[in-house]
Each structure stands twice: as structure tokens, then as C-alpha cells.
Amino acid sequence: MARRSRASRDRKIAAVGIPASPHIRRCLPFYDILDDEQLVKLEAQVNWLIEEVGVAFRDDPEALKIWKQAGAKIDGDIIRAPADWVRNLCRQAPREFTQLARNPERSVKIGGSNQVFAPIYGAPFVRDLKGGRRYGDMQSFENLVKLTYMHPNLHHGGFVTCEPCDVPVSKRHLDMLYAHMTLSDKPHLGAITEKSRAQDSVDMAEIVFGKEVMENNCVILGNVNTNSPMLVDKVVTEAIQVYCARGQGIIVAPFILSGAMGPASTTASVTQAMAEALMVCAFSQLVKPGAPFILGNFLSSMSLKSGAPTFGMPEPVLSNYVIGQLARRAGLPLRCGGSLTAAKIEDAQAAYESADSMHSTMLAGANYVLHAAGWLEGGLCTGFEKLIMDADRLGSYQKILGQGLDVSDEAFARDAYGEVDPGGHFLGSGHTMRNYQTAFYEATLSDSENVESWEERGSTDMRMRAFEKWTTMLTEYQPPKMEESVRDALQDFIARRKEELPDAWY
Amino acid sequence: MARRSRASRDRKIAAVGIPASPHIRRCLPFYDILDDEQLVKLEAQVNWLIEEVGVAFRDDPEALKIWKQAGAKIDGDIIRAPADWVRNLCRQAPREFTQLARNPERSVKIGGSNQVFAPIYGAPFVRDLKGGRRYGDMQSFENLVKLTYMHPNLHHGGFVTCEPCDVPVSKRHLDMLYAHMTLSDKPHLGAITEKSRAQDSVDMAEIVFGKEVMENNCVILGNVNTNSPMLVDKVVTEAIQVYCARGQGIIVAPFILSGAMGPASTTASVTQAMAEALMVCAFSQLVKPGAPFILGNFLSSMSLKSGAPTFGMPEPVLSNYVIGQLARRAGLPLRCGGSLTAAKIEDAQAAYESADSMHSTMLAGANYVLHAAGWLEGGLCTGFEKLIMDADRLGSYQKILGQGLDVSDEAFARDAYGEVDPGGHFLGSGHTMRNYQTAFYEATLSDSENVESWEERGSTDMRMRAFEKWTTMLTEYQPPKMEESVRDALQDFIARRKEELPDAWY
């Protein structure tokens, strides 16, 4: 009780001066590319995979017990089940839910017509223009959390903005959680790599939010991958048992490189992802009916030259539109896409691939977009400049999705035509004077001046401007307010856990 | 007659070994973002502009005579007309037509569900990695025509790939036409800047195609801009009288920088563009009922910092979707969008802006896309690397639009699931072996290898790889075959016209 009221007071004073819409309320219609015949065929394949091929749930006897109690058919560790039954279980998950942030102004709605952008997740390396490419460390991690907190176009902190490789694997989740909870007041995810780390994540969230708030709200989610094809290991099922049992949420994203973890076919790979995710969703609802679940999809195409994964290519771009439509029919919030690229640096390749990937992610209606900013090298590296460049572009998507086309009387500007002759100009018209300051999105990193002016200012490319931007942002960083007692409680928890845990580097 | 049979034989032998689909047959559904209420409001505004505000047709008494004979209301030089009458005239223009190329395998369908990509048009400057930024000249122009001819993802030659500033303005259209007609066998546009230059364009086309073919087919089009707001000058009306009177086509694109040539509102600017284009379309149908007409839209947003036009921003991106829907309702082929950017070099800004611009152009269903490759600096500069980089990405759009999602039995790969265990891989499965070579688009300029391999090969950025690519392409260039007598006739025509015309540099 004491904790709850602390947290509740805390949230009232934590509103700092960084403007951001907490999430996008989409007003554009969805773009459905599949006709009825295609839909029927795709869903028949999903059902066939669930009923005939089955999904293995491995190395977690508890998970098999849960399936068995529910009456599923178990063959070794392979679960096969009537697709209708699985889909009905999935319908118990909410179409839309709120994840509370410790600053209530930053709480996000996930699902329905809401869209939320979060940064890259999981890269072992970082890169910036001055420091070059290197292993991620705690300092980089914290700087990335700060930049995400400060950027108005990122709604959510994600979690592993880079791997802090200078902290033992067994303990780093504690420092990472502490960074998200204290350096930012945006919502974030928790650890999943081991059951005890998931447990630490929800325990620390309880310190911040209080037991009662946590019992009645989603305040933290875990993000896990299946072991495609058609395999779910205990990392997934244990994370679900920890997060969902406490009423918290889970994101499950089959990561499929078509031709390797799925057939060399976008169609087959998308349906496989759908089948895997629906089976895991059903499992999550057996653990806790009504637990928030986000259906994930992460599909990559392949380079013929080397078998390397490729990003921003037509197959994954198309798959975003397809999975969007399938997820809406299943009634589940969707995670897909991101600003993805195989490029090593923030060159034109990185931007072309990221933009095509993200444009389709946006239109597909992805409700939660991990990797919306900062991704390089197929996810192996977090780029500091890339984070800021992508985030700048996200503001454009925010305007497209959230505002659509204005058809108010003011938008039609009829009075302006009374002021301007044929061939004249609207620069000084009353309508322009009233509207020019809000009519256009101002991208901060795009240079739109003429070539002479651009040369005078040093012929900078976007990467150099992004470097300037994020280094300046860090000098201006101010932490959001947090009550000392909550901070102390978090520190006490971490100190105790660090004593209990051995140093381990794997 | 002799000419026609020459041209006809010529076309049979002109099929050279450059693989290209002549145009994209779109199989994706259109993305309509406007609901009925929005549509009604937008079309009411278009009608109001046509009926109440009117469009001035200036400096061409012949144009006013044509309007007058048709019964339009003329006030000074401003034409106002019942919107229904204007729209009915517009319905005489074909929804879809074929532009013949001199190689019939490269003839393109424009309109309906066909989409055609053409390079940048009209830049006075060129830039490449070795030569830097400089005025365009005939050598650059010819090299750009050659690269466009060779690139499988560009379907159409456009026309002014750059301004050849080393040739007098009064004569350069002759050399430009000759370059398109001899260095390439893809379809292209003609000159419009003066009535006699438009005349030379159709006369030279007649030499290539023969009188009879030309009488019954569209073999060349002109591309003109209105003088927004609400003004059409004689460049437009004379071009129409030359091209359409000969049964050839015209593209009319209002260029509107919102806040300057239109109100500071995307909504108002799009409806204004629509009103201007419909009025010009109606005029074209008065000149020649059934003449091919392409409704153009070119909308730019504005930088608050300087008033400079900005590209790839949310407002013009959104406008592509809007104009796509309006053009389909009007039943007219659409030109819009392109790979547009305000960047000065091929950095990440150029690629982000171009990709967002082009992704929306693609989904909007643009039937003819000028500026699909090579555009820099808001159109002031043609980038050689940019041309090749954009064209590489166009292959991805071609696959998305043209193939959509395959739902054949083979695409579902059911047999593969019999071969692969849970958690296994599909790399060696029969399905992968049968499909891996065609499953994925292979982008030639994207480097998807790991960082070590990329570093070993020199840590190239996309720009450097594009430089390698186009310089290599030029060394491999082979001109398409052309009958000597046609070439001679073109040369004779040009020699005669050059004697008749004075050198003029403006």
C-alpha cells in the first residue's frame, strides 16, 4: 500500500517537458491487400499447421501439463489442436489494452487503431560516427535510453537498446531495468532470457507501480521469439508463466528467415508465423485468460549470393500488409516490421531499406513497432545516428497516420481564392498566415536549402547532422523526477539480487 | 508508306537482349484512404473551383476560340464551366492507352492497373561521384539515355534526363529527340517549350513510326505544367494543339508548392490541382476527342525555416494516395510522385525521402511515374548514382505490385513440412531447392553481407557501389538496331531544322 501511494504521487510529479503524443491514434483506413479467396487459403493453411503439423513445446514439463489439462492432443512434445478451439482461446486476449507508464501521460494503448513506436532491441554492437563500431556497454545502453526518452517520436522505451556487454549476463537485466525505470518515464519491456530474470522484471515493476496497480493493469511486457519452425522452447513458456500469471503482457514473434526457419516462400512463412503465434497465444490464455498478448511477425528474405538475411525487400514489405490483415481478423494486437536494414552504416542503403520497411509497417497497422529506430546490420548493431535519423522520419508517419486528410472548412481555404489572382501566389494570403506554422511537418534532419547554402554550412550529410543532434541532446538531458524512496527500493532490490546471483558471462 | 514499312521491319529486328517487363501490371488492390464524406467534400471543392473561380487560359487566342465554340463562359481570359460538362468531356479521354515504342516489346500501357516508371525530367545540373556537380551537357544527356535504356526497371525514357546546356536552347530538342530515338528503343516524350519544338517532336516521331502508324497510335506524348494557381499559358495549349491534334498524348501536371502556388493546405492544393488538370483535359478533348491524356499531380510541402520546397514529407506522401483515388474516380490515367528529395547528394536523407515518396507513388496506383529515378536537389540536379540506386529499388516495387502474394499450392509448401522437424531448417528441403532462385528479389546495390566481409571488400557505401555499376554499364552499352534509312532521314530532318533555326540561349 505504501508503495502504491508513493508511485501514484510520483506519477503526478513526473510529467516533464518533453512533448510527445503517447501513441498514435490512427485515422487512416487499413490497407487490406488480400481478397476473400486468398484469405480463405491462408487461414486454411494456418489451420492445417495447427491441426496436422502441430507445434512442439519443448523442455518445459509445466507447459505440457497446462496443455494436457486443457485437453490438447500431445504427441511427444508436439501439440496439435482443433484450430477453432485455438482461435477461440485467442479471442480471450484483449484486442486493445493500455500499458501504463510511470508517467501516466506516457501510457500507451496497444491494439485496435493505436500504433506505438519503440527503438531497436537486442543488438550486441553499437556504432556512432566518432566512436566507430564496438561492443555495446552500459554507458551506451544508458545513453540510448536517454535519447529514446527525449525523442518525441518514440513512444516506448523497448528494452535491450543494445547489449551492455560489460556487465555479467546474469546481472545485466537488473541494471537495464533500473536504467529504464529511472532515466526515462516512458513504458518499457522486461527481461525474458531466463525465468528468474523475468521474475526480477515483474518484481521491480511492482516496486515502481505498487502491487494493486499492477494487479489491475499491464505495466510491463516480455518480448520472446519462437524457435521456428514450429518449436516453442521454455524461454517462451516460462516468460508467459511469469508475465501473464501476474496479469502482465507478452509479445511473441516468430523470427523466420524464409528458406531457413520457414519455406522459401513468403506465403508459407507468414502462415507459419501465424500458426506458431496463435498456438502460443492460446497457451498464454490457458495460463491467464485475458492476459495481454501481442502477435508478432518478423520475416526476412534471403540473399541469393550468400544466404544472408535481407531487409526492406519486397517479400518482407509485402508480408507486413498480409500479417496486418490476418492479425486484425484474429482480433489480436500486432507487432511487425520496423526500420530494418542489412546496411552496416547509415548510407542510402540503410535509409531506402528502412523507409520501405517502415512505410509498410505503418500502413499495415502494426500496433507495436519494435526496431522502429536505430537498427543496422540486420539487428546486430545499434546506430546512434541511425536512431536519431529513423526517429526523425517517424514524425512523418505520425502525421500521416494520426491526421490523415483534413476536410474542415479551413483546409479548403476558399477565402484564399478571393485574394489571389490566376498565376499569383498565396504567400501573403490570410489563409497562409493563419496556417503556415502548422501546415507542414518540419523534419529536423532534412536539409532542404539550395546547394549554395548547403555548401556554405559545410556540405553535411544526414549522418553528420544526426551526430550533432544526438550529442547535443545528451548534453541537455534531464532525468524525469522519481521519488527517492522508490529509487532506494529499486537499489535495495538490485543489491540483494546481485549478491544472490553469480557472475556469469553467457 | 515506305517509311512505315521500314519502321515496321525495324521494330522486328530491334529486340535486344536487355530483359525488362515493358510495364507493370498491378495485381495489388488500390489503397483508397478517403471515405465517402471526404470524397464528396473534395469533389464539391473541385467543382466550385471549376464553376466559380475558373481557370485563366492566357496568351493563346486560339485556345479561347476553342472554348468559345464549345459554349464555355469566358470572362476576360477566365473560363468557368459547369463541372458536369467538364467531367463528361474528360470521360472522352481513354482510361487506358498504349504508347508504342519503336521496339514493340517495349510498348507500354498507361492507365488502368498498369504502372510505368521513367527517369527524372528537367534538371539543369548533373552530379556524379567523380565529376562532381556541373551543368548538364549533351554527353551527360546521352549517357543518361543509355543507362535508362539499359536498366530493366525503367520502362520509359522520359525526355529531359538533364538539360544539355552546351547546345543552344533553340536547337537542343532536336539532339535530345535524336538521342532517345537512336540510343534507346524505349518509348519517350517530346519537347513542349515552344510550339515549333512540339511540332519537330511529332514530325520526328513520324519519321520513326511512319504516318499511318502514327495516325492510329500514340507514339509520343508531351509533358506540361500549368502555371498554378488557376492559370494555363500558351505553352500548355499549344502543346495540346500540336500533340493531340495529331492523335498523340499529353501529360498535364500542376506543380504546386503548398503555401505559394496553392493554399498552405494539402487538401486545398490537391483539389486545385485536380480542377486545373480537369479543365486542361476538357480542353484537350475539345481539340481532339479521345486524345490520350494523363492527369498529373506534383505537390510539394514547404520548409518553415526558409520557405524552400520539401519532398518525401507526410503532406505530399498523403497527397499521392488522395490524388490516386480522385483520378480513378475521374477515369483518367495518373502521373504523380517519383523518387523525390531535397537532398544535395545521395545520402540517407535522399534515400529516406525518395523511398517514402516512391512507396506512396507505387501504392497510389500512379500509372506514369516521371522522376522515378535520378532526382536530387528538388529536381535541379540529376544524380548518376541516384539514377542507378533508385532504379535498383524500383525492382522491389515491381515485384510487390506485379506479383502480390502467391497463393498457388507451391507457395504453401506443404511438402516441406513433411521433411523438416520442429526447430529444424528448410535449407535443404525439396521445396527450397525448387524455389530459392526465384523466391526473393535480389537487389544488386544492397550489401547484405556481415560486417567483416563488407570491410574486407572496402567498406563501400551504396553510392560507391552505384558509381561502379553505372560506369561499368556504360562500357557495356550496345545501341539498339535501327535501319540506316530511318537514321538518315532523322539526320536530314535535324540538319534542315538546324539551318532554319537561329542559335538562341534562352
Side-chain angles (χ1 to χ4, degrees), chain A residues 490-502:
Chain A
L490 287 172
Q491 286 172 353
D492 291 350
F493 179 90
I494 291 168
R496 177 173 63 77
R497 288 294 289 141
K498 283 197 172 175
E499 276 196 21
E500 290 166 6
L501 292 165

Side-chain angles (χ1 to χ4, degrees), chain B residues 167-215:
Chain B
V167 183
V169 171
S170 53
K171 298 177 176 177
R172 68 174 65 146
H173 65 288
L174 299 166
D175 293 341
M176 292 158 76
L177 286 160
Y178 184 75
H180 277 287
M181 288 169 172
T182 57
L183 300 177
S184 170
D185 62 9
K186 289 186 175 173
H188 60 87
L189 308 175
I192 50 90
T193 45
E194 219 180 55
K195 191 169 187 175
S196 66
R197 295 172 199 156
Q199 193 61 56
D200 287 339
S201 303
V202 292
D203 288 346
M204 285 177 71
E206 188 177 296
I207 294 174
V208 172
F209 288 91
K211 196 170 162 88
E212 201 181 317
V213 169
M214 193 152 166
E215 267 170 14

Side-chain angles (χ1 to χ4, degrees), chain A residues 272-327:
Chain A
Q272 180 189 316
M274 196 72 194
E276 293 178 10
L278 288 181
M279 283 295 278
V280 180
C281 180
F283 177 79
S284 75
Q285 301 306 306
L286 291 174
V287 170
K288 174 95 169 186
F293 181 91
I294 301 178
L295 183 145
N297 185 54
F298 193 97
L299 191 82
S300 156
S301 48
M302 192 190 274
S303 164
L304 274 185
K305 292 175 205 150
S306 62
T310 55
F311 299 92
M313 295 299 159
E315 300 83 16
V317 164
L318 193 72
S319 80
N320 284 332
Y321 295 119
V322 175
I323 198 78
Q325 199 170 346
L326 293 178

Side-chain angles (χ1 to χ4, degrees), chain A residues 26 28-34 38 41-42 44-45 48-49 56 58 78 127 133 227 229-231 258-265 267-268 272 301-306 308-310 312-315 317-318 321-322 342 344-349 351-353 355-356 359 363 377 386 389-390 393 396-397 399-400 404-407 411-414 417 420-427 431-432 435-437 439-444 446-449 451 454 461-462 465, chain B residues 26 28-34 38 41-42 44-45 48-49 56 58 78 127 133 227 229-231 258-265 267-268 272 301-306 308-310 312-315 317-318 321 342 344-349 351-353 355-356 359 363 377 386 389-390 393 396-397 399-400 404-407 411-414 417 420-427 431-432 435-437 439-444 446-449 451 454 461-462 465:
Chain A
R26 179 195 182 102
L28 279 197
F30 294 107
Y31 179 40
D32 290 336
I33 68 163
L34 302 171
Q38 288 175 310
K41 283 189 175 184
L42 289 172
Q45 171 91 350
W48 175 76
L49 288 165
R58 194 155 292 172
I78 295 179
R127 181 190 279 276
R133 185 181 187 269
N227 280 30
M230 307 308 274
L231 175 63
S258 288
M261 295 88 102
S265 154
T267 311
Q272 180 189 316
S301 48
M302 192 190 274
S303 164
L304 274 185
K305 292 175 205 150
S306 62
T310 55
M313 295 299 159
E315 300 83 16
V317 164
L318 193 72
Y321 295 119
V322 175
K344 270 58 71 180
I345 52 171
E346 295 86 351
D347 66 345
Q349 179 190 341
Y352 279 118
E353 293 177 354
D356 276 330
H359 199 117
L363 290 186
E377 271 187 49
K386 183 74 166 23
M389 287 157 55
D390 287 337
R393 297 302 299 171
S396 172
Y397 300 138
K399 180 161 184 192
I400 293 170
L405 193 77
D406 182 3
V407 290
F412 283 111
R414 287 202 178 185
Y417 291 95
V420 180
D421 288 329
H425 67 75
F426 291 82
L427 291 169
H431 182 272
T432 299
N435 289 281
Y436 78 96
Q437 285 182 303
F440 310 112
Y441 175 67
E442 190 77 22
T444 59
S446 276
D447 183 310
S448 299
E449 305 310 298
V451 72
W454 171 75
D461 69 12
M462 193 187 208
R465 298 192 294 273
Chain B
R26 179 193 181 103
L28 279 196
F30 295 107
Y31 179 40
D32 289 336
I33 68 164
L34 303 172
Q38 289 175 310
K41 284 190 174 184
L42 289 172
Q45 172 90 350
W48 176 76
L49 287 165
R58 195 156 291 171
I78 296 179
R127 182 190 278 274
R133 185 180 187 271
N227 280 30
M230 306 309 274
L231 175 62
S258 288
M261 295 88 102
S265 155
T267 310
Q272 180 188 316
S301 48
M302 193 191 274
S303 164
L304 274 185
K305 294 175 205 148
S306 62
T310 55
M313 295 301 159
E315 300 81 17
V317 164
L318 193 72
Y321 296 119
K344 269 58 72 181
I345 52 171
E346 296 87 351
D347 66 346
Q349 178 190 343
Y352 280 117
E353 293 177 354
D356 275 330
H359 198 117
L363 291 186
E377 272 187 48
K386 184 72 167 22
M389 287 158 55
D390 287 337
R393 298 300 302 172
S396 172
Y397 300 138
K399 180 161 184 189
I400 293 169
L405 193 76
D406 182 3
V407 289
F412 283 112
R414 287 204 177 183
Y417 291 95
V420 180
D421 288 331
H425 67 75
F426 290 83
L427 291 170
H431 182 272
T432 299
N435 288 281
Y436 79 95
Q437 285 183 304
F440 310 112
Y441 175 66
E442 190 77 23
T444 58
S446 277
D447 184 309
S448 298
E449 306 309 299
V451 72
W454 172 75
D461 68 11
M462 194 188 208
R465 297 192 294 273

Side-chain angles (χ1 to χ4, degrees), chain A residues 232-244:
Chain A
V232 175
D233 66 14
K234 70 173 181 176
V235 170
V236 174
T237 51
E238 289 181 350
I240 287 172
Q241 288 167 77
V242 172
Y243 280 90
C244 297

